[in-house]
Structures are given as structure tokens and as C-alpha cells.
Amino acid sequence: MNKVIQDTAFLPREISGTLSLRGRARRWSWIVAVSLAAGCGYSGTSEGELTAESLRRIPLTEDLEGNGLHHRVHMVRDRYGIAHIYAEDSDDAAYAQGFVTAHDRLPQMDLLRRFGSGTLSELFGAIDPSVIDTDLQMRLHRLRPVAAESLAIMEASTDPVDKAIVRTLHRYADGVNAYAAQLVGGHFSLDPNINAVWEPRTFTPWSPVDSLVLGRFQALSLSFSIENELNLTELYQRLHAVYDAPGQPQPIADRQLISRDLMLLAPPARTSTIDGFPNVDFDTGTRSDAGRAWKRRSGTSRASTNTAAPTARPEIPAELLDNARTVFPADFHTQLGTFGPHAFMAPRAGSNNWAVGPAKAGGKTLLGTDQHLQLSNPSTFYPIHIDIDDDTEVLGVSFPGIPGIVLGTNGDVAWSGTVAYHDVNDIYLEQVSSCGGGDCVTFHGAAVPIETWQETIRIGVFGNILSERTVSYERVPHHGPILPTIRGGNIEPRAGNVALSVKYTGYYPTFELRALWDLSRAKTIDQAFGALRNFSFGGQNWTMIDNRGNIGWTSNVDVPLRVPNAMTWDATTNPGGNAPWFILPGDGSAEWQERLSSRYVPHAINPRSGYLATANSDPVGATFDNNALNQTTADGQKLYVGVGYAPGLRLERISTLLEGAMARGPVTLADFATIQHDSESTVGRKLSGHVLDALASVADPATAPADAAAYIATFSDEQRAQLADARALLAGWSFKTPAAVSADASAAQVRDSAATTLFNTWMHFFIAATLDDELTLVGFDRQRLDDSRLVRLVYAMLEEPDTLVQSTKSHQPILCDRVDVGGSDDSCTKMQIWAMLAALDHLASADGYGSANSQAWRWGAKHRSLIAPLLPNPGLALPNASDGPAFLGGFPRAGDTFVINRADAGWNDLDFSQSSDGAAQRFLAEGQRGRRIKVKWQIPGGTIFDSRSPHYRDLLDTSYLPEQHFDAPFATCDVLDAGEERWLLR
């Protein structure tokens, strides 16, 4: 809590009367005594005082009138650009947060709410009509209407917390709008680079619904997995139809059941957060409630308890699948540059979380986290510190546009999140027929009318509206919206007697702000667990510590409990069965019953191991045997929470490093920092040994399969020498992945860099050689398979070949054979060698490095990270021209795909620039009994989205890129010591 001496005689004009006594005065005697004894530290409850003298050291740069403030509010900005707000009540704090965040990030806030609301066309639709498609795609989810419904429920509530949250939302909006008015009035100004593509005069006033839209938008982007389910359905259906059909000629018949192989669920790394579901074999004591029915606070039930006769997995027309994919946003290109969902939505967002308890950390509790979201300018997160007298104090990150913080600490508890990837949506094939002048779907044998609603899209330039159009959407009442066909800025009329609908836990009113409100005020892990019961969708692995010696983790969220007929698929024994990751029959036979009891949703507190770690992997090991539908039952129900997990490589590496650190002695935050920055190639460590074995056969063909030996016999001396050099390079690889582009790179770094380049180039060619032929034959584009599936397949081919369909000739996985090449079946050994020669040819070519000398293969020359601009102006990209020609195309990066310090390069092409997400923050927290939790931080950018500001990219340059955490000022005296400027809101 902030400490302000109340003797106003000592205060200058702008500070005098700032705060009322209200319970403070009686504390001053012992507060000052403790402060004098303890100094500025993390001891007791005092960390310094806001006095006239201390504040006078910080220049007063803004003296502003605050609309409707109950009391004066101070904002101190520190040397890192972080705003520290000191207020007497939550209403005033919300106003100040809205004002300051808008000052620093208003264009970002506007674009985020527009993206979520489906109103980007008002800014860019007349510049590029493809923006209209993006709005049509987002309107399908009805984020704004559902946000308005959630707000109405809270406004009608008599609960004091709901009332306080509603006031907070309104006061936050007031603060945003007050800043916007001052911006238009000329008191503040915009960066010309921003002003060229965003017009503040057309900014529409912020509202509480806007903040709720942003919350729902973020949750949607982190939990909606329909695109993956469409892809898996199509892939399996095409493979099954061709390769599993009876009577096929060779080599098609030899590939029977590769449909099962391509559906591989088992990850290459099999470390889970806990061993199995909690509270199954015995009561773990971590959560004893029996769950709750699927009912929201609106009092309406969304559950279906009806059952129907079991049905088989439906066959989905190819055209229907093609049309359904038009509902997913794609980047669009305006005259001002590339702009699109890469700046908002992370298609495979990830994160790392881990916590260590006092037994392994010298009596302390430690938390480390880094959220993997799309790197953009400005950064996704906005760091802030809010101190509300006699209420709460929080330090952490917010999403600009949402009051409070989402991840951080209140001094007693610190919390973080990784995406849980629980399966919370399903697609249904609906049978459509005419009924009563409209259309109906068949459900439990009855005809149910399809509902419709309309949306109006306004099209303009920078907010100046030029035209509008109205479109109609359809909805199945018991499931959800029908996936439309979106093309050319319109919704095409639905045709035929089938349609696809989506059911999703995020399509109903939910109250995540209640969870964050309570979490910010939690004093213990138990209270934090209780707070998160209000977190209904957008599932996270919440990992937490408190300053009382406890660590905890929960992935609590609404997880559908599906009827047994939705989970009958077995790749071998029942390939025609249903699975939640395929499209399900919509006839009522594969419905949701209720919410899975929170007893069984994965979680743990104070495990015997002394630590907890998550990294988007299978939390309980349900997929490790390659069958997620054969899990134990509880209360008569089969337990299933998902399959779309990361391949476990980051989690395995984190666990290995943590256990190594714990074995050496008490773990520290310095150990945590080392782990966060670890860029060892997890895939290289897993697979390079197999490549070396294949290359060894070049020198000794007698050890190779017959086809590989015959292939080796055709090699020239030059090829043999090249392969020998490649083998030596990989054999000496330490699995470090340095960029090694600087002139002072050591010989070891250059060697490791070249090995990294070679291995990842080899991965691309090996994947293409082994999978493209089978996929091309069935008309499926490999580009639609993500790296998580690709690495599972390569690992299985090389490490666990017996789990895949075998060639009767090579006795190796048939996937390694080229279906379009006659003769003996290709072995995986041969194809590894072939891929290495292809990689060497590419690296020596002009498209590669233009040299066969591995000294030239600097990983950082190809593996670069570009921080894309949120607004469509290339001048806002980082790096920019001021960084010099060495940074053309991005910042050179260490790391490859699935390293802890995420820098995915991907293997679907040979453009090894960082292809997806990176750490949107690196956050470390330390708790100690009787002391306030302290924080170390890194942010990939700056706090203020204005290139004229020293805080535009300072945290990127001084902390994030050099991988040096800074100590976040939290104690008042630390804030004062780091203070750079202050604002007064009257």
C-alpha cells in the first residue's frame, strides 16, 4: 500500500490535500518507525513514503483535471517507463489507469477492440476490401453482443463485487475518453508515424463493453481450436478414403492404416505436470467440490442431458470443409503495408511456467513465466503498478483496454499463465431440411428451426464512413453459429442439405473480470484457487506462489463433459468412431452433458517433487499412449480434457534444468533466468543421433539397409566428402543455437551456428521427402500441418518406428518410402541421407548461403525476428532503418523450434525467420515469509507507443534483447528512486 504523510503543511500546492486520513493516521507512528529501521526493502509492510520532499525530487510534468475523481491521484513514471498509480479508491485508480494507458497505447486499444468487435472496415475497408472479410469472420463469434449481455448481468447484480467491477469499467472508460478529448484538443499529440494511419478525431468513445470485448477476444484467441479440428477431420477423411479402402493396388495398399499414423497423438517428450488426473484414485485434498452444473449466473443452463442412439463419425463433403475455412482470418495487405491477425491472434500461442517451493529454494517460493504471443509493436502486454489505499496493490501486465492486471503480483501472491489447450469447442454436422417457410436441423429426431441474425458492416477510411452492407448469419439453437462461406466481402448463401455448426464455451456470458478482481486481492494460494473458479473460458495453466511457502497450479475452466458416443474412435479397432477433435454428428448423439467437475480438471498444490512446471503440454499424460480416449473414469464418466497440446519438448527441458539446479543446491532467480534464456535445440538433441547413424553408413555401407547401400554406391567422391563433413559438424554440435553473426563470434559459436542451420535445413527436406508424396496423392497441403504434428511424425519414424505402419520390404516405416517412385521401398535411412544431400545443395546455392563452406552458415543470418507493427505502417516495425543494414529483415536470434526461449523457425519452408510467437514478457517473482514478493522483468519493446519517446523501445534494447532482467520497482521508495516524471490528476 502507498504511504503518504498527512500533515498537509509540508505539502506543496499540487500535493496538499491529496489523500484523506481514512484509517491511515493511526498507522503512521509504527509505519515511520519500521521504515526507518528497515530502509527500502521487502521487509514488513512499509517500503517508504510518498512525502512532499520525496515527490519534489521527481519533475511534475502534468497537472490535470480528473473528471469525477473522488480524490487526487498521483502517477509516477519510472526510468523503465512503467506507470505507478497511487489512488485512494478503486474508482479513482480505474480512471487513472484508463487515462495513462490511453496516453501510452490508445491506437493499440482502438484496433484491438475493433478487431474483436469486427469493425476494422471502418478504418481500412475502403483501402483494402479483404479487411471486410476479417470483420465478417469476427462477427460470427458475437464477442460484442455477448460482452454486452455479460455487462448487463453484472449491472443487475446486487453482489458488492459485481457493483465495484461495473464502476471500475465505467471509470476506466471515463479515463480513456478524457485522454482522447485532450488528444483531440491538442494538449497531447501523436507520433507522426501513427497519425499517418490512425485518426484520433474519428475515435469513438470508449465504453465498458469495449473492455469486455477485449477480454473475450484474448480468451477466444487462446482457446478456439476449430481450424485445427477442420484440418484433422479433412486429413483423416482423405487418408482413410484412399489408403484404407479395400482392393487398392500397390503401393497404395501397402499404406493401409497410415491414416492412423498421421493422427499420431503421442508426443516425443513425455513429461507431464502431474501423473494422471487428480482426485481419481484418492482425494488429493487440492479441491473437494463435486463440480457444478453447466449453469451461468444468468440462471440459464446450456447443458444437454438428452442422449441419442450411438452413431458413427459422419462423412463431411469436401466443399463444406473448404467453405468452412473461410471463417478464419488471413493477413491482408493495404497500401501502407502488411496488417493482419498476426498482430492480434497467436494461432499456436504458448508459454512457459514453473514454480519451486521452499524446500528446494532455500525457504523461498519462486515463480518464472514467459508468455508466447505474437511479437508486435507495441508489445501485447502493458506493464503497470496500481496502489489503492486500504484495498489492494498490484504490479504486473494488463492487456491495454482492460482495467487491472491479468498476470503479476499483489505482494502476497504472484500468478502467471500458459495456454492450457483444453478442448472446449466442437463442430457438428447438421442435417438441414425445409420446414415452415424456413430451414430446420434434425436433433433427437425432431425438426429444430435455424435462427438468424444480421450484422451491418460500415466501410471507410480511417473512420470516415463511405458505405455499409448488411449480412445475415445463422445459428443452431442448441449448438451455436453455422460456419458461413465468406468471400469477397460478403456471406454467400448456404446451399445443400448439410451445414457445420460450432459449440464453444466462449459463446455465453462469462465473468473473467470477477476472477481477476478476486485474484488481485488473494492473500494465499487457496484464495487464488477460489478466485479462479470464475474463470470460465480461455483456459490457462495458472501457476502461483505466495509468501507463505506455497506453490500451486490449476487449469480450472469450463471443460465440456461429453457423452460416451462422442469418444468412440480408435484408429485401429474403430476407425469410424467419433472423437472430439473430429467433426461430430449433430443429431443429438454426441452432445455435451455438463461441466467436468473441477475435482478432475488438472491442478495441484505443493507437490512432493517441490516444483510445478507447465509449457502447453499434456498436463496429465493422457496422450502418452497415443490414445486420449481410453482414460480412467470417475463418477461413471470417461475423463477427457484435450489432445491439441505442444509436443512436450519445452516442458521436458525445463524439468531437466530445474531438477539439475535443485540437485546442486537451493534454486535462485538467477537459475530461473538462465532457464528462461535457454536456447538449446530440443529437437536436435532428440533426433540428431539418428541422422549421424544414417550418415555413418556412407562410410560403411554394409551397415545400411539394401536400398540405402545401393544409393550410397552412386555417390561421387565429392558427395562422400560433403556428407563426411556434415556428419562431423553434427557430431560436434553442443545443441546450442547461437546466431553467430557478430564479428567477434567464437569458433565454437560459429560451429554450433552452422550445425543448427544444417540440422533445421535437413528437417525441412526430410519432412518433405517422407510426407509430401502421401499427402499430395490425397490432395492435402502439408503447409496446413503445424510443427507440433510434424515433429511427432519425424520422432516416431526415427525413434519409435515400430509404432507406425511398416514396409514389408524395408521393414521401416512405410511413410519413408516415396509412393511415386517404383522399385524397392525407400528406407528411412536412405531418405535421411537424401535429405542431407538436398540440404547441403540448398545451403551452397544462392537461395541458401551461396557457399558450401559451413563457416558461412550463420544461423542468425536466416533466423531473424521481426517485431511487426500493429498499425499498417512499415515505419513502425522493429528493427528499423536506425538499427542499420545488419538488422535488415529482423533481429538475429538464437534458438530453433521448440526451445524454451521460444524462437520457432518452422520446417514447412526454408524461410527460417521466427515464424510465430515469442516471449511477450519474461517475469520472475520471489516470495519469502513476511516479505513482499519482488519481481524481475523483461518486456519486448517499450511502454509508450510513440517513437519520439525514450520509452518507445528502451526495454527491448536494454533488457529484452541482451536478456538481462531489470528489478521492477514495487516498493514505494524504489519507485521514488527510479522516478522520472510525475503526473497529478485532480
Side-chain angles (χ1 to χ4, degrees):
M1 298 297 176
N2 60 70
K3 311 294 185 291
V4 180
I5 290 180
Q6 296 300 311
D7 186 349
T8 58
F10 292 95
L11 302 181
R13 179 190 63 80
E14 73 269 20
I15 303 172
S16 178
T18 299
L19 299 169
S20 66
L21 291 171
R22 266 198 19 239
R24 283 180 194 260
R26 60 180 177 271
R27 301 184 304 178
W28 292 127
S29 58
W30 64 265
I31 284 176
V32 173
V34 171
S35 180
L36 291 173
C40 189
Y42 297 94
S43 177
T45 58
S46 175
E47 294 87 22
E49 301 162 357
L50 285 175
T51 66
E53 186 61 32
S54 62
L55 283 171
R56 194 176 290 119
R57 300 199 310 259
I58 305 172
L60 180 68
T61 57
E62 292 291 347
D63 190 342
L64 304 163
E65 291 295 327
N67 177 25
L69 288 176
H70 301 139
H71 312 277
R72 295 182 181 183
V73 179
H74 294 283
M75 189 283 288
V76 175
R77 194 181 298 277
D78 65 27
R79 67 172 66 99
Y80 307 107
I82 298 171
H84 303 260
I85 294 171
Y86 297 92
E88 287 223 41
D89 60 44
S90 59
D91 293 358
D92 287 356
Y95 178 92
Q97 185 183 7
F99 191 98
V100 172
T101 307
H103 172 273
D104 294 351
R105 302 286 187 92
L106 187 64
Q108 178 185 23
M109 294 165 60
D110 188 33
L111 265 68
L112 285 170
R113 68 165 170 174
R114 287 183 176 279
F115 197 107
S117 298
T119 59
L120 280 173
S121 294
E122 296 179 9
L123 299 183
F124 308 116
I127 299 175
D128 189 327
S130 66
V131 182
I132 303 169
D133 283 358
T134 301
D135 280 352
L136 293 173
Q137 291 154 351
M138 292 307 301
R139 295 286 183 100
L140 174 75
H141 304 298
R142 301 183 70 250
L143 296 184
R144 192 165 195 87
V146 177
E149 189 178 348
S150 298
L151 179 64
I153 293 170
M154 285 193 292
E155 288 178 330
S157 171
T158 59
D159 188 303
V161 172
D162 285 343
K163 289 181 175 296
I165 293 172
V166 169
R167 290 197 308 273
T168 292
L169 288 165
H170 281 280
R171 292 301 288 152
Y172 185 91
D174 290 342
V176 174
N177 294 328
Y179 168 75
Q182 296 217 19
L183 176 63
V184 172
H187 183 78
F188 297 101
S189 64
L190 280 181
D191 180 346
N193 287 313
I194 296 172
N195 218 35
V197 292
W198 187 81
E199 174 53 65
R201 294 184 183 278
T202 60
F203 175 82
T204 57
W206 197 265
S207 74
V209 172
D210 290 322
S211 294
L212 295 180
V213 165
L214 291 186
R216 303 193 74 80
F217 178 45
Q218 294 295 344
L220 173 84
S221 69
L222 299 177
S223 64
F224 193 69
S225 60
I226 292 302
E227 185 173 16
N228 188 52
E229 293 178 12
L230 287 169
N231 283 336
L232 290 180
T233 297
E234 181 177 357
L235 174 61
Y236 183 69
Q237 195 167 274
R238 287 177 179 268
L239 292 168
H240 187 59
V242 173
Y243 296 111
D244 297 343
Q248 292 280 41
Q250 290 183 327
I252 304 300
D254 293 339
R255 285 163 169 75
Q256 188 174 18
L257 287 183
I258 65 164
S259 56
R260 175 199 65 188
D261 292 354
L262 270 291
M263 288 298 108
L264 189 68
L265 301 179
R270 290 158 201 174
T271 299
S272 55
T273 305
I274 58 175
D275 185 14
F277 286 91
N279 293 308
V280 174
D281 298 324
F282 59 92
D283 191 330
T284 66
T286 52
R287 192 181 282 131
S288 59
D289 65 291
R292 62 173 185 260
W294 197 294
K295 293 184 178 180
R296 300 303 193 280
R297 290 163 63 190
S298 61
T300 59
S301 174
R302 304 291 181 177
S304 172
T305 57
N306 294 325
T307 59
T311 56
R313 178 176 50 82
E315 187 74 11
I316 314 301
E319 184 179 6
L320 194 61
L321 290 165
D322 290 340
N323 292 341
R325 278 193 296 274
T326 67
V327 304
F328 298 100
D331 292 350
F332 53 83
H333 306 272
T334 73
Q335 298 171 357
L336 301 166
T338 300
F339 174 61
H342 67 273
F344 300 96
M345 301 177 71
R348 292 300 299 173
S351 304
N352 303 315
N353 265 352
W354 61 88
V356 174
K360 302 292 186 179
K364 300 175 181 178
T365 53
L366 305 179
L367 175 67
T369 186
D370 49 293
Q371 284 66 43
H372 302 159
L373 299 170
Q374 195 70 42
L375 296 179
S376 64
N377 184 29
S379 58
T380 299
F381 288 130
Y382 179 72
I384 195 165
H385 173 205
I386 305 169
D387 187 337
I388 307 171
D389 185 41
D390 291 332
D391 184 352
T392 191
E393 182 178 10
V394 287
L395 170 72
V397 292
S398 69
F399 289 117
I402 303 175
I405 68 165
V406 62
L407 305 171
T409 181
N410 59 16
D412 295 307
V413 176
W415 60 94
S416 61
T418 67
V419 180
Y421 287 126
H422 292 334
D423 188 349
V424 295
N425 45 223
D426 284 328
I427 314 176
Y428 292 97
L429 179 68
E430 307 286 356
Q431 301 297 324
V432 182
S433 59
S434 298
C435 63
D439 283 341
C440 288
V441 298
T442 301
F443 188 65
H444 293 301
V448 179
I450 294 175
E451 300 172 346
T452 62
W453 84 92
Q454 292 186 324
E455 298 280 350
T456 298
I457 307 295
R458 290 161 28 105
I459 303 163
V461 179
F462 303 151
N464 297 304
I465 306 304
L466 304 177
S467 64
E468 63 180 41
R469 68 186 56 165
T470 299
V471 297
S472 293
Y473 293 84
E474 297 178 303
R475 177 172 49 226
V476 175
H478 46 275
H479 287 154
I482 288 176
L483 296 178
T485 301
I486 299 173
R487 290 193 181 98
N490 270 302
I491 293 179
E492 296 181 356
R494 177 177 49 78
N497 60 354
V498 289
L500 298 178
S501 67
V502 176
K503 190 166 188 174
Y504 174 47
T505 58
Y507 283 158
Y508 317 114
T510 56
F511 306 94
E512 285 68 36
L513 274 187
R514 175 67 183 260
L516 297 178
W517 179 279
D518 291 341
L519 187 58
S520 293
R521 289 156 177 80
K523 300 298 182 185
T524 66
I525 291 293
D526 287 340
Q527 291 178 9
F529 261 62
L532 290 168
R533 295 192 186 179
N534 283 299
F535 206 90
S536 300
F537 90 111
Q540 297 286 299
N541 289 299
W542 297 95
T543 303
M544 301 169 281
I545 63 172
D546 64 26
N547 59 2
R548 303 186 185 193
N550 301 299
I551 65 173
W553 154 71
T554 180
S555 58
N556 189 56
V557 75
D558 283 351
V559 178
L561 186 62
R562 296 163 171 92
V563 299
N565 187 53
M567 299 184 287
T568 60
W569 180 77
D570 184 283
T572 302
T573 63
N574 189 21
N578 291 309
W581 56 89
F582 295 140
I583 295 173
L584 295 169
D587 58 5
S589 65
E591 296 302 299
W592 298 358
Q593 292 179 301
E594 56 184 25
R595 175 190 187 270
L596 180 65
S597 168
S598 58
R599 282 176 57 81
Y600 310 120
V601 178
H603 64 278
I605 293 177
N606 295 332
R608 291 182 181 179
S609 64
Y611 77 94
L612 288 161
T614 78
N616 319 114
S617 308
D618 184 340
V620 296
T623 61
F624 291 179
D625 65 351
N626 202 38
N627 189 343
L629 301 180
N630 65 348
Q631 298 306 297
T632 186
T633 60
D635 301 331
Q637 301 288 348
K638 185 181 292 186
L639 295 180
Y640 165 79
V641 293
V643 296
Y645 301 114
L649 294 158
R650 283 182 286 116
L651 180 59
E652 180 182 67
R653 178 67 176 162
I654 290 167
S655 298
T656 297
L657 293 176
L658 276 176
E659 290 170 2
M662 291 187 295
R664 293 190 295 271
V667 182
T668 67
L669 285 189
D671 295 315
F672 274 34
T674 298
I675 295 172
Q676 281 191 336
H677 300 141
D678 184 78
S679 293
E680 178 176 295
S681 178
T682 58
V683 180
R685 182 176 284 278
K686 287 279 185 188
L687 298 178
S688 62
H690 295 286
V691 185
L692 290 172
D693 289 343
L695 294 178
S697 67
V698 175
D700 187 6
T703 64
D707 72 307
Y711 178 50
I712 293 167
T714 68
F715 291 172
S716 66
D717 290 343
E718 181 183 6
Q719 288 174 312
R720 293 174 186 274
Q722 288 176 328
L723 291 171
D725 289 344
R727 184 185 176 210
L729 183 61
L730 287 181
W733 188 20
S734 72
F735 305 114
K736 294 179 180 178
T737 59
V741 293
S742 62
D744 60 352
S746 68
Q749 289 174 326
V750 171
R751 188 166 54 249
D752 277 339
S753 185
T756 304
T757 303
L758 178 62
F759 175 78
N760 282 280
T761 307
W762 172 87
M763 276 287 286
H764 166 78
F765 283 106
F766 183 72
I767 289 167
T770 56
L771 298 181
D772 279 2
D773 52 340
E774 283 88 1
L775 295 176
T776 299
L777 187 63
V778 300
F780 191 91
D781 185 357
R782 171 173 49 85
Q783 299 290 331
R784 288 164 54 194
L785 298 182
D786 63 21
D787 295 327
S788 179
R789 181 150 302 280
L790 294 175
V791 76
R792 281 171 164 84
L793 291 167
V794 175
Y795 179 82
M797 281 188 273
L798 301 184
E799 180 67 22
E800 298 176 343
D802 292 343
T803 65
L804 302 178
V805 175
Q806 300 288 297
S807 163
T808 57
K809 299 174 184 177
S810 71
H811 305 291
Q812 292 192 18
I814 194 67
L815 284 175
C816 286
D817 175 53
R818 290 167 294 178
V819 70
D820 52 346
V821 177
S824 299
D825 287 352
D826 298 310
S827 66
C828 295
T829 304
K830 176 182 176 180
M831 298 317 297
Q832 288 180 81
I833 299 170
W834 181 93
M836 183 57 71
L837 283 173
L840 292 169
D841 287 345
H842 170 76
L843 293 173
S845 73
D847 291 333
Y849 289 82
S851 173
N853 186 345
S854 64
Q855 293 284 313
W857 303 344
R858 306 298 174 96
W859 181 234
K862 299 290 185 181
H863 185 44
R864 292 174 174 265
S865 176
L866 179 69
I867 299 179
L870 189 64
L871 285 162
N873 185 347
L876 295 167
L878 297 173
N880 54 38
S882 67
D883 292 288
F887 291 94
L888 182 66
F891 297 105
R893 283 297 310 273
D896 58 8
T897 306
F898 300 118
V899 300
I900 296 176
N901 189 2
R902 186 166 179 181
D904 290 7
W907 302 299
N908 264 326
D909 56 37
L910 291 162
D911 175 9
F912 289 129
S913 58
Q914 187 166 352
S915 60
S916 59
D917 315 312
Q921 70 159 344
R922 298 188 186 104
F923 181 94
L924 302 176
E926 177 183 286
Q928 193 169 359
R929 290 184 183 274
R931 296 189 179 187
R932 170 190 297 225
I933 289 173
K934 60 181 180 181
V935 168
K936 291 179 177 290
W937 228 339
Q938 291 173 22
I939 304 290
T943 60
I944 301 177
F945 189 40
D946 187 329
S947 61
R948 301 169 301 176
S949 168
H951 300 301
Y952 174 62
R953 53 175 288 179
D954 54 330
L955 297 181
L956 175 73
D957 295 327
T958 63
S959 178
Y960 189 85
L961 290 176
E963 298 184 343
Q964 298 292 324
H965 290 83
F966 64 89
D967 293 316
F970 193 12
T972 303
C973 57
D974 286 338
V975 174
L976 293 172
D977 287 345
E980 200 173 69
E981 66 167 332
R982 59 190 171 96
W983 293 5
L984 177 65
L985 280 71
R986 295 181 180 276

